[in-house]
């Protein structure tokens, strides 16, 4: 009986993980999330769950360097997500987050390309809050979450309805709610990402898996 219950819960958790991954993939297709929130690189596959942003592999390393007290990094497809984390990602996204964290960033600011410059930029942005509108920083899901959820954890799927944005289902969460920060400070370079299923996307996922294995080992 115990073995059957464990099997049932494991199957339920796998199904929940698939649902969450689908929701996150839908979020990645939004124009504002097709590029990294920090450097503007195409097709981000990583995230900061407490900041509500999608980031590239390179910037994910910078976020790991500043520590989990400031940024909690997860892979979109390789890690397990809680319903609260998925809901927060849907309610934020790169444009809304950058409207807060880059509120006072000069319009002609040149984003760094070298690793040292990116490290300093991300520290200034999230640790020192150099350009942030601190009055608008939202409350993220509280405690750190492990990469793999416990089989005994109670998990209920989060299905976005649009209500968490103050907007009807299927409409953009950005600019719909009067209380939402303006997305004017969003990442300025937003080239289109590789379409799902393309060779470029498969290459990105292979790199993501290798990067994920490196940080877990």
């Amino acid at each position: 009986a115990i073995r059957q219950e464990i099997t049932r819960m494991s199957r339920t958790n796998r199904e929940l993980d698939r649902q969450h991954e689908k929701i996150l993939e839908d979020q990645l297709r939004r124009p504002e999330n097709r590029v990294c929130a920090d450097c503007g690189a195409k097709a981000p596959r990583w995230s900061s769950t407490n900041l509500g942003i999608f980031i590239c592999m390179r910037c994910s390393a910078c976020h790991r360097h500043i520590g989990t007290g400031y940024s909690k990094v997860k892979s979109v497809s390789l890690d397990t997500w809680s319903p609260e984390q998925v809901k927060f990602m849907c309610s934020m996204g790169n444009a809304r987050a950058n409207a807060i964290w880059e509120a006072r960033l000069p319009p002609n600011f040149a984003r760094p390309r070298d690793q040292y410059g990116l490290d300093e930029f991300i520290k200034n942005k999230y640790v020192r809050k150099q350009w942030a509108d601190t009055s608008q920083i939202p409350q993220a899901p509280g405690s750190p979450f492990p990469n793999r959820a416990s089989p005994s954890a109670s998990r209920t799927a989060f299905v976005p309805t649009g209500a968490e944005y103050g907007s009807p289902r299927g409409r953009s969460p950005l600019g719909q709610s009067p209380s939402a920060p303006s997305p004017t400070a969003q990442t300025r370079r937003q080239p289109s990402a590789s379409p799902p299923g393309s060779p470029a996307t498969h290459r990105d996922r292979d790199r993501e898996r290798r990067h994920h294995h490196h940080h877990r080992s």
Side-chain angles (χ1 to χ4, degrees), residues 18 20 32 51 59 62 67 88 97 130 138 142 145 147 156-157 160-161 165 169 179 189 201-202 210 213 216-217:
R18 284 193 289 269
H20 285 168
E32 64 271 20
L51 297 173
C59 287
C62 300
F88 185 67
Q130 187 168 327
F145 292 88
N147 278 346
T156 304
T161 62
Y165 317 128
R169 185 183 182 94
S179 61
R189 290 175 63 253
T201 302
H202 291 308
R210 290 195 297 272
H213 177 74
R216 285 176 62 87
S217 59

Side-chain angles (χ1 to χ4, degrees), residues 146-161:
N147 278 346
R148 303 306 303 176
S150 167
S152 61
S154 174
R155 304 175 68 203
T156 304
F158 162 65
V159 179
T161 62

